[in-house]
Amino acid sequence: MVHRMLLLVVAVGYVAAFFLFALHTDRNRMQDRISFGSLEPPVPFTYSRLFLVSLLGLYFEMLMIRWLSSEIRIFAYYKNFVLIACFLGFGLGAALCRRRIHTIAMALPMIFFTILVAAPIPGMHDAVVKLTTLVGMTSQTQIWDISTPDHIAYGALAIAIVSVAPLFACIVFTFIPLGQMVGSMLEIAPRGSRAYTTNVIGGLVGIVLYTLTCFLSQPPAVWFFLGALLFAIVFLKRPKPLLVLGGTCLLVAVALTFWTSKSSSIFWSPYQKLSLTPIRQNHELVSYYLNTNDSWYQQIVNLSPEFLGRHKDLIGKENPKFNPYNAPYLFMRSPRSVLVLGAGMGNDVAAALRNTEAKVTAVEIDPLILRLGEKLHFEKPYQSDRVKIINDDARSYIQNSNDKFDLILFSLLDSHTTASSFSNIRIDNFVYTQEAIGRARDLLSPAGLMIIKFQVNNPWIGERLSGLLQNVFHAPPIEVMFISHYGTGGSFYIIGSPQAMDRIAHDPSLAKLLRAVPQPHVELTTDDWPYFYQKERGMPTAVLGMGGFLICFCWLLVRRLLPNEQEQLRQPWAIHFFLLGAGFMLLEAHIISKMALLFGTTWVVNSIVVSGLLILIVFANLIFERWSSFPLAFPYIGIISAAILAYVLPLRALLFHDLIVRIVVATLVLCLPVLFAGMVFIRSYSEISFSGVALGWNLIGAVFGGMLETVSQATGLRALLLIAIALYLGSWIARRKAGAMNREEVDRTEYTEELVLAGH
């Protein structure tokens, strides 16, 4: 059943993709027959219209990344896959800005994806999950619920690529109409630099608006309803495009409102889709299951003696003190202070309150999970006076805290999603690095103990955890496995002061539980190479396979969709803008990863950083308006110098205790290249009269940069700066060649005019 549904989904996806492809390549027959709601270029220019369409572009980009990454699980692990598709679509649209704009090209994919992820069709959900399994079988990366590679893995990857291709294509075609509208208006704007500034500010407002909906925990139905309102403002006097785009958004909003789970309550936190399912036994509520992005994540349990006395069947013959949540207090019986990293809905916090008299600090990144735990947990741990709640990233907290703890507990910190749509780094990657473990060690009291709980599905994950602890503490940890039918089990990796470890080693009640940890044979993760879920440095097979597919697919679309547009921009100019886009994307990925280390891997930090980069681009435009004739060598030298400084300066040098000082210095050191890059772009963009084709090549270059970002899985994050420098040097060379060609053309034109005058 699942395989047949998967074939049906793929087949429908290919039909939709080929239809949209033909719509943009067939200049006469199909375009004339399917013209309802289409717009003829140029789109009438006003600053307000450009602002709104730019706002819509970034708003829908963030929306599609978040929505599809939550509903199609593979995109939660490779989120920049959706980002690349959005950029490619917008770039192709900008280059096609002089062609007819088919609004149906945006409407049809939205309907297709709504049916794919939400329609109550038997077998549909399992078919979508199957895509993740096919890709994950070959990735040298731990992905939940996917087994290690076997003899059919590479065939499965080929099938996965064929299956994912139409989804990627449909995302691309979704953004072509918006790119066409923006490109068309920028070309005819009376003041190009001011129009481009309006475009950037509109995108900034789009990001802020979407971030606000996430902050308010609104579901996708609300996202699309807001999209319908925005389209209504843009096309207030054009009923046909409004009916196609606004009507589609309303239709999707209604469908997503009614096509919801009847057995679970669905919530949307700033990070992920949460599904909460009550579990009853003999008509009594005994637990809650929490899924994130449709994958099992957490369970609320009630381990109070009164409850277990009435429900002995829940734990059977298990001794409650060996339950995974109570077990840490077998090794540290009377801590005065406990730090729980990844507190979730409160199980570990409740255990600390139940077993000790300690003060408990509970750190959890997701505010909605905290609120659910505060409201629903049976033992009400978050309402205790002994509990201090911290809504923050675990790495950010241990990086900035000066408190001391007798027990530090890493509570099953296993992320299901990436930290940002601009990077493949997962939320908890920076928690499991040598630097993070070292900083956590500094928070231990002299007789303190650290316990890392983790569900180890692959032996090399366990080796990496034990290796990190051994490298930081200069002593081997001990490992204990705890399994329970009522609660979440896992492996415990225990290390601490010699005093605490000696006490555990000589406790006869614990001797039979302890296991020796083997010597690690895997590379240990660092802040520069934080890919905890990847077995070894290098490019995983799935990444290589998907990357090869993306390169071929992008090349095909550019060749087939832009045959005439390529002639409108001379090759050196096209290369120049392409390399600028690729370099900027790498700068952005590097900046976001480093800012996450300095200020936390939270949605607030990511939104502020991306918004800050757009503001720097606005500043670059303002500089251009005041000083349009600045020598290009100035910003290029600025880019290279600032990038080299960011490369050689250790991150710990930016960890000032004063937050304001840290923000100012980090912005100057890490973000300054973006200001110079913006100056190069606006100067070049103005010299080719704000051509939509140039903007298109710039965004297509950003697609290439998004692919190059995965190189860090082999080289580390700092190497992205060196690659970015090389790309900008290449763009400088191409720019000089383009300028020389322009001067030759001017000289030939002047010479011809002189000959004509002489002949007269």
Side-chain angles (χ1 to χ4, degrees):
M1 175 66 179
V2 174
H3 293 89
R4 289 197 297 270
M5 181 56 68
L6 180 59
L7 286 174
L8 178 60
V9 168
V10 172
V12 173
Y14 271 106
V15 169
F18 277 113
F19 168 78
L20 295 171
F21 182 77
L23 190 64
H24 288 92
T25 54
D26 187 333
R27 297 293 186 87
N28 299 309
R29 293 168 296 175
M30 183 178 292
Q31 291 193 15
D32 291 336
R33 286 196 296 267
I34 306 173
S35 60
F36 184 83
S38 63
L39 299 167
E40 293 296 336
V43 176
F45 172 82
T46 64
Y47 285 106
S48 60
R49 183 177 290 113
L50 175 60
F51 172 84
L52 287 170
V53 175
S54 302
L55 187 158
L56 275 165
L58 265 294
Y59 178 84
F60 268 93
E61 179 185 308
M62 303 294 285
L63 184 155
M64 293 294 284
I65 291 170
R66 173 81 191 285
W67 184 43
L68 296 182
S69 299
S70 299
E71 299 288 7
I72 304 175
R73 187 161 62 115
I74 190 59
F75 294 150
Y77 298 102
Y78 300 101
K79 192 175 291 187
N80 76 347
F81 188 83
V82 185
L83 176 74
I84 287 170
C86 297
F87 269 63
L88 179 58
F90 211 92
L92 290 171
L96 293 169
C97 65
R98 299 175 190 177
R99 294 196 199 176
R100 179 183 293 178
I101 301 169
H102 296 280
T103 55
I104 194 174
M106 186 173 186
L108 184 62
M110 287 195 291
I111 295 172
F112 168 68
F113 283 120
T114 302
I115 295 173
L116 178 66
V117 304
I121 301 174
M124 180 73 80
H125 177 265
D126 293 334
V128 174
V129 171
K130 193 70 175 176
L131 287 174
T132 305
T133 305
L134 291 171
V135 176
M137 288 174 70
T138 56
S139 76
Q140 290 76 37
T141 304
Q142 174 170 299
I143 297 179
W144 277 37
D145 302 328
I146 298 178
S147 60
T148 54
D150 57 22
H151 65 283
I152 65 169
Y154 296 102
L157 175 61
I159 296 171
I161 292 174
V162 172
S163 303
V164 170
L167 305 185
F168 182 84
C170 286
I171 299 171
V172 170
F173 287 117
T174 302
F175 286 87
I176 287 180
L178 289 172
Q180 287 179 288
M181 295 180 208
V182 170
S184 177
M185 284 189 280
L186 287 174
E187 278 201 341
I188 64 172
R191 295 187 61 178
S193 60
R194 181 167 296 182
Y196 179 61
T197 300
T198 303
N199 167 242
V200 175
I201 294 174
L204 173 62
V205 175
I207 291 175
V208 172
L209 178 62
Y210 182 74
T211 301
L212 181 61
T213 66
C214 294
F215 175 78
L216 297 175
S217 301
Q218 296 303 304
V222 174
W223 309 345
F224 280 99
F225 180 74
L226 286 176
L229 292 179
L230 291 170
F231 277 123
I233 298 172
V234 174
F235 297 112
L236 190 60
K237 297 180 180 179
R238 295 202 174 194
K240 291 182 180 179
L242 175 57
L243 181 61
V244 173
L245 295 174
T248 298
C249 288
L250 280 178
L251 180 65
V252 170
V254 171
L256 294 178
T257 300
F258 290 99
W259 288 348
T260 56
S261 172
K262 307 302 180 186
S263 59
S264 304
S265 299
I266 307 298
F267 306 91
W268 287 81
S269 81
Y271 297 97
Q272 51 215 342
K273 172 188 176 184
L274 305 176
S275 306
L276 191 72
T277 306
I279 306 300
R280 300 182 183 277
Q281 187 180 79
N282 298 324
H283 306 291
E284 183 181 354
L285 185 65
V286 296
S287 182
Y288 287 96
Y289 286 166
L290 180 69
N291 286 4
T292 64
N293 301 335
D294 295 325
S295 297
W296 190 91
Y297 192 60
Q298 292 181 0
Q299 176 186 5
I300 295 181
V301 297
N302 187 348
L303 293 174
S304 64
E306 299 80 11
F307 179 81
L308 293 181
R310 291 185 287 110
H311 295 275
K312 295 181 180 180
D313 54 322
L314 284 176
I315 58 172
K317 297 181 180 180
E318 296 175 16
N319 187 335
K321 73 178 183 179
F322 291 104
N323 183 277
Y325 292 110
N326 291 325
Y329 306 98
L330 297 172
F331 307 98
M332 175 65 75
R333 289 194 169 86
S334 302
R336 293 164 299 175
S337 55
V338 177
L339 171 63
V340 179
L341 299 171
M345 291 188 291
N347 291 332
D348 286 287
V349 179
L353 296 175
R354 197 167 48 244
N355 288 279
T356 74
E357 298 298 322
K359 297 286 186 178
V360 182
T361 299
V363 180
E364 169 59 42
I365 192 172
D366 196 316
L368 188 52
I369 289 179
L370 276 175
R371 290 201 295 270
L372 289 173
E374 187 173 4
K375 179 181 179 181
L376 300 174
H377 200 286
F378 305 103
E379 299 178 67
K380 305 300 181 185
Y382 288 134
Q383 298 177 17
S384 170
D385 293 336
R386 288 195 281 141
V387 175
K388 179 182 179 181
I389 301 173
I390 306 292
N391 180 206
D392 195 6
D393 166 38
R395 175 61 187 271
S396 175
Y397 177 79
I398 61 178
Q399 194 74 57
N400 296 292
S401 176
N402 293 313
D403 295 331
K404 296 291 183 180
F405 300 94
D406 293 336
L407 176 63
I408 296 178
L409 182 64
F410 288 70
S411 176
L412 294 173
L413 275 163
D414 190 353
S415 169
H416 286 224
T417 188
T418 55
S420 165
S421 57
F422 294 91
S423 170
N424 283 319
I425 296 173
R426 287 158 69 170
I427 285 176
D428 55 342
N429 277 164
F430 286 125
V431 175
Y432 299 113
T433 67
Q434 294 185 61
E435 294 87 347
I437 300 298
R439 179 57 188 153
R441 176 203 57 198
D442 295 340
L443 300 184
L444 281 175
S445 62
L449 194 70
M450 181 187 297
I451 299 177
I452 296 181
K453 293 199 300 181
F454 204 90
Q455 288 189 322
V456 177
N457 297 326
N458 291 312
W460 55 267
I461 287 285
E463 287 186 31
R464 177 164 287 155
L465 284 169
S466 63
L468 287 170
L469 292 173
Q470 185 169 337
N471 188 65
V472 170
F473 285 86
H474 306 293
I478 55 177
E479 180 185 0
V480 183
M481 172 74 76
F482 288 101
I483 301 174
S484 175
H485 299 296
Y486 188 57
T488 305
S491 297
F492 284 42
Y493 295 86
I494 306 169
I495 193 70
S497 66
Q499 176 186 345
M501 297 300 289
D502 185 68
R503 185 176 62 250
I504 294 170
H506 291 87
D507 189 330
S509 65
L510 300 178
K512 62 180 180 179
L513 300 175
L514 307 182
R515 296 194 299 184
V517 176
Q519 193 69 21
H521 296 92
V522 295
E523 182 168 1
L524 302 182
T525 43
T526 65
D527 285 350
D528 185 53
W529 191 76
Y531 299 103
F532 178 75
Y533 300 96
Q534 185 174 318
K535 186 175 182 180
E536 57 193 13
R537 278 185 186 256
M539 302 294 289
T541 306
V543 173
L544 288 174
M546 284 293 179
F549 153 71
L550 289 176
I551 291 172
C552 294
F553 185 85
C554 294
W555 177 82
L556 174 66
L557 285 183
V558 170
R559 287 292 302 272
R560 294 299 301 274
L561 294 182
L562 308 178
N564 298 325
E565 283 75 7
Q566 294 181 61
E567 300 173 1
Q568 298 173 15
L569 195 69
R570 289 186 176 275
Q571 189 179 37
W573 279 115
I575 294 173
H576 172 67
F577 282 101
F578 179 89
L579 294 176
L580 286 181
F584 185 84
M585 197 68 172
L586 289 183
L587 286 179
E588 189 167 40
H590 178 267
I591 290 168
I592 287 175
S593 66
K594 294 304 182 184
M595 286 295 196
L597 281 171
L598 291 171
F599 303 104
T601 313
T602 65
W603 66 275
V604 174
V605 170
N606 284 321
S607 297
I608 291 174
V609 171
V610 175
S611 300
L613 297 182
L614 292 178
I615 291 172
L616 286 175
I617 293 174
V618 171
F619 283 152
N621 294 350
L622 295 176
I623 291 172
F624 173 77
E625 291 200 8
R626 290 296 184 93
W627 184 29
S628 60
S629 60
F630 58 78
L632 272 172
F634 167 66
Y636 269 113
I637 292 172
I639 294 170
I640 295 168
S641 302
I644 291 174
L645 176 62
Y647 181 84
V648 300
L649 191 68
L651 194 70
R652 61 179 178 272
L654 304 178
L655 290 170
F656 298 96
H657 290 294
D658 188 283
L659 182 61
I660 302 300
V661 174
R662 187 188 307 181
I663 291 172
V664 172
V665 176
T667 301
L668 289 174
V669 173
L670 298 178
C671 302
L672 201 56
V674 171
L675 176 64
F676 294 122
M679 292 174 65
V680 172
F681 178 80
I682 189 63
R683 170 75 181 273
S684 301
Y685 197 25
S686 68
E687 290 185 10
I688 44 87
S689 303
F690 299 93
S691 164
V693 180
L695 179 60
W697 276 112
N698 182 253
L699 291 170
I700 294 170
V703 170
F704 181 66
M707 298 181 197
L708 280 179
E709 188 262 339
T710 59
V711 172
S712 64
Q713 294 175 252
T715 64
L717 292 170
R718 290 171 68 226
L720 295 181
L721 285 172
L722 299 180
I723 300 173
I725 290 172
L727 291 169
Y728 275 106
L729 285 173
S731 76
W732 195 358
I733 294 170
R735 171 67 181 78
R736 291 174 65 86
K737 186 175 181 180
M741 291 178 62
N742 285 352
R743 286 191 297 272
E744 288 177 6
E745 288 185 356
V746 170
D747 291 341
R748 282 197 300 269
T749 301
E750 291 177 350
Y751 179 69
T752 303
E753 290 176 352
E754 289 175 0
L755 289 177
V756 172
L757 290 173
H760 283 294

